[in-house]
Amino acid sequence: MSGRIGLFGGTFDPVHNGHISIAQSFLQSDLIDELWVLLTPYPPHKTREYQTPYEIRLEMLEKAFSGISNLSIKTIENELPKPSYSVQTIRYLKKHLPDNTYFYCMGEDSLAKFHTWKYYEEILDECELLVAQRPGETHENVEDKILQRTHFVDHTPLDVSSSGIREKVATGISITDRVPEEVVKVIEKEQLYS
């Protein structure tokens, strides 16, 4: 079976309503048949001292995305050699599941920094980008060679971030409007971010 697969990676610490919204925008674009959410074990470019254990982040992801059609959580990056770079994941998938066409999915904020990613040119050689566009955003600072390999998807972003949620939990502010209820339960049960 061949298909058009969107790859949406991240640390998801924690997953929040913004991630769910952007995933739905990718799926509604008609450019992909399925969205694979790739949970990154320990991303090379992030330097936060403490990270929630992989298994707990995986549990939160599974609860947050349950019930969304054509979306699945993949743990492939936890099985590949570390550090985990996006290009090695894409190459692995293309080697082992060569009949699929892959799109690397990201938000507009990531596109603006994409040229700073390690091996970003190799990613462009391997697949095209699917970018959830912010209304009114221009791309004058994005290199042409990146834009030539980019498809934009209509999306209205939510003003929510994982770091903001961690700060709210640490200071005792409710996050129930930003995180699915089942994820809030995991955060409380595991006493995360406090």
Side-chain angles (χ1 to χ4, degrees):
M1 279 289 287
S2 61
R4 297 168 301 165
I5 310 297
L7 305 174
F8 180 37
T11 49
F12 303 104
D13 195 6
V15 60
H16 53 65
N17 293 341
H19 294 131
I20 296 167
S21 171
I22 201 171
Q24 289 170 328
S25 292
F26 290 136
L27 284 166
Q28 289 162 7
S29 71
D30 289 334
L31 290 167
I32 57 172
D33 304 311
E34 291 179 54
L35 184 66
W36 292 358
V37 178
L38 308 171
L39 180 57
T40 304
Y42 298 100
H45 62 285
K46 292 195 178 176
T47 55
R48 203 155 55 85
E49 281 184 24
Y50 174 77
Q51 187 156 37
T52 302
Y54 187 88
E55 292 70 25
I56 297 174
R57 288 184 287 129
L58 180 60
E59 180 186 359
M60 290 191 284
L61 267 188
E62 288 168 344
K63 289 183 183 307
F65 286 116
S66 72
I68 298 180
S69 299
N70 302 319
L71 182 147
S72 53
I73 314 296
K74 302 290 184 186
T75 57
I76 176 176
E77 293 198 339
N78 202 36
E79 293 142 29
L80 293 174
K82 313 294 182 287
S84 176
Y85 290 109
S86 302
V87 70
Q88 71 192 63
T89 304
I90 297 163
R91 285 176 176 157
Y92 176 89
L93 289 170
K94 287 180 74 172
K95 179 180 176 184
H96 291 87
L97 298 165
D99 292 339
N100 292 326
T101 301
Y102 297 98
F103 295 86
Y104 199 81
C105 300
M106 65 181 68
E108 188 98 47
D109 52 338
S110 296
L111 178 68
K113 298 186 218 117
F114 184 66
H115 66 284
T116 68
W117 288 24
K118 198 168 180 77
Y119 310 124
Y120 83 96
E121 290 173 317
E122 285 89 336
I123 293 173
L124 294 175
D125 289 341
E126 298 292 345
C127 67
E128 297 186 2
L129 305 181
L130 207 56
V131 176
Q133 189 162 15
R134 289 175 186 263
E137 188 75 36
T138 64
H139 311 106
E140 66 237 11
N141 297 326
V142 180
E143 298 173 31
D144 278 346
K145 65 181 172 186
I146 297 173
L147 290 177
Q148 287 166 7
R149 301 281 290 164
T150 300
H151 303 269
F152 290 98
V153 170
D154 290 334
H155 177 65
T156 303
L158 302 180
D159 185 18
V160 56
S161 70
S162 294
S163 59
I165 289 166
R166 294 193 300 267
E167 286 169 22
K168 283 186 182 341
V169 173
T171 54
I173 299 170
S174 172
I175 56 166
T176 55
D177 60 332
R178 297 166 182 266
V179 176
E181 182 183 351
E182 291 301 313
V183 174
V184 174
K185 288 178 183 172
V186 175
I187 291 171
E188 289 173 348
K189 179 185 77 175
E190 301 290 347
Q191 299 181 325
L192 303 179
Y193 317 126
S194 48

